[in-house]
Amino acid sequence: MNHIKTIVSGIARLKPIPQTVHRIMHLAQNPDTDTDELAKAVACDPMLTANLLKDANSAYYGRPGKFETVQQAVVFLGAVETVKLVLIAGCRDNLSKAQGGYDLQEGELWRYSLSSATLAKAVAQKTGAVDSQFVFTVAMIKDIGKVVLSQYVSEKYEKIRLLVDGGTHSFREAEKAVLGIDHAELGAMAAKIWQFSPKMVDIIRHHHHPLECRQSAREAAAVYMGDLLCMMLGTGVGADGLAYRFQQQAIDLLGLSDSDIQMLLVEFEEQMDRLAGLLNA
């Protein structure tokens, strides 16, 4: 129990999602919010301002001119893309470092998180019954627990790997068996501390088993699908891709056909060059 408390205490070393991000997300949900209000909220945080302008001016958006003010960027992007870039900026520092326990080099967890979130949003848009921006937000931060757990996974890697190689455990299940806690649980704890909604906390905790989110199973299934599609593409896959659990019920819940999945993969691969511009911004 003391060992688990030590692991959980590592959440305090994460850089919290800024309160400004929460405010901007809240404003964007209000249909009466105009671009001036959004721009003013972003401008209150110098780091968010710098990151928003950097990302908006990246090759991802392919705009020939350069934005010089937050107002210009927000008007061009609109509320949905503004929230997306603000969230990306709020997550980047935590997710960019190497995570040795998961065999992820510097930038790989960041690349995976953005790719997974982009795919999860595409799944949500294709199925039409869930809020795609909400799904993107959850998918971006769902693996934040790996940042805390990585060093402990490194220390116990051989024991974890033995369970995985035995064919009885996925990597996440082996984490839980050896360490007493897994990255999904830790991520949910961090999201709760950062005052994300109970619904988001629940999805992060169960994103590998979406049907356990009884009140939000479809959103959780879309987040899970973003994860699964990344695994299929080999995008940012580290050690925890070993023995990844395939959840056919999640696919059935969303009503996705094999051709739908193939189309999602093709469309994402077509976006990869543009997405690289945002990843490298």
Side-chain angles (χ1 to χ4, degrees):
M1 184 61 72
N2 286 336
H3 179 64
I4 294 176
K5 286 182 178 178
T6 300
I7 294 174
V8 171
S9 69
I11 292 173
R13 295 194 296 272
L14 293 172
K15 185 174 180 180
I17 302 293
Q19 284 300 312
T20 311
V21 174
H22 291 278
R23 172 167 165 69
I24 291 165
M25 290 169 64
H26 178 73
L27 282 171
Q29 289 173 347
N30 184 348
D32 294 328
T33 299
D34 59 27
T35 54
D36 282 340
E37 288 178 280
L38 275 181
K40 286 175 182 176
V42 174
C44 287
D45 188 313
M47 286 303 297
L48 279 182
T49 296
N51 280 307
L52 179 73
L53 288 173
K54 179 176 68 174
D55 289 343
N57 284 323
S58 73
Y60 180 74
Y61 290 101
R63 188 173 181 270
K66 292 293 183 183
F67 298 113
E68 296 179 341
T69 69
V70 171
Q71 177 69 24
Q72 290 172 342
V74 171
V75 169
F76 174 79
L77 294 167
V80 171
E81 284 297 304
T82 296
V83 171
K84 173 181 171 180
L85 291 189
V86 164
L87 180 65
I88 286 170
C91 294
R92 183 180 271 126
D93 285 350
N94 282 323
L95 298 173
S96 292
K97 300 178 180 65
Q99 309 300 331
Y102 294 95
D103 195 26
L104 292 168
Q105 303 303 310
E106 183 176 348
E108 285 190 319
L109 181 57
W110 165 239
R111 177 179 297 276
Y112 158 75
S113 296
L114 183 52
S115 298
S116 173
T118 300
L119 282 161
K121 182 176 181 179
V123 169
Q125 290 172 329
K126 184 171 284 291
T127 57
V130 294
D131 181 344
S132 62
Q133 187 58 43
F134 173 80
V135 166
F136 180 89
T137 301
V138 182
M140 271 297 300
I141 63 173
K142 72 181 186 304
D143 283 316
I144 195 68
K146 290 181 180 179
V147 180
V148 177
L149 204 58
S150 179
Q151 71 176 89
Y152 301 99
V153 171
S154 292
E155 292 167 5
K156 302 291 184 180
Y157 186 78
E158 290 307 316
K159 288 185 177 180
I160 292 171
R161 184 61 188 255
L162 279 172
L163 287 177
V164 174
D165 288 348
T168 58
H169 292 68
S170 68
F171 197 92
R172 184 193 64 83
E173 291 163 347
E175 281 178 357
K176 175 79 170 180
V178 173
L179 300 173
I181 195 167
D182 63 53
H183 70 269
E185 292 174 288
L186 272 174
M189 290 177 184
K192 185 174 182 179
I193 290 169
W194 293 341
Q195 299 179 358
F196 282 98
S197 71
K199 183 177 176 180
M200 289 180 66
V201 171
D202 191 41
I203 293 173
I204 291 168
R205 178 174 285 112
H206 298 298
H207 70 266
H208 288 289
H209 296 280
L211 270 65
E212 292 181 18
C213 294
R214 301 189 181 210
Q215 301 301 316
S216 48
R218 288 181 65 82
E219 290 95 335
V223 172
Y224 163 80
M225 281 303 302
D227 207 15
L228 178 64
L229 293 172
C230 268
M231 296 292 173
M232 293 171 69
L233 289 167
T235 301
V237 177
D240 67 319
L242 299 168
Y244 192 81
R245 292 285 189 250
F246 182 78
Q247 304 283 333
Q248 181 64 48
Q249 288 176 303
I251 299 173
D252 293 342
L253 178 64
L254 292 168
L256 290 171
S257 65
D258 289 345
S259 61
D260 288 333
I261 291 172
Q262 288 300 319
M263 184 59 66
L264 284 163
L265 293 173
V266 169
E267 289 171 352
F268 179 75
E269 288 187 321
E270 290 173 351
Q271 291 182 54
M272 280 300 291
D273 288 342
R274 289 180 61 237
L275 190 61
L278 187 55
L279 286 162
N280 298 325

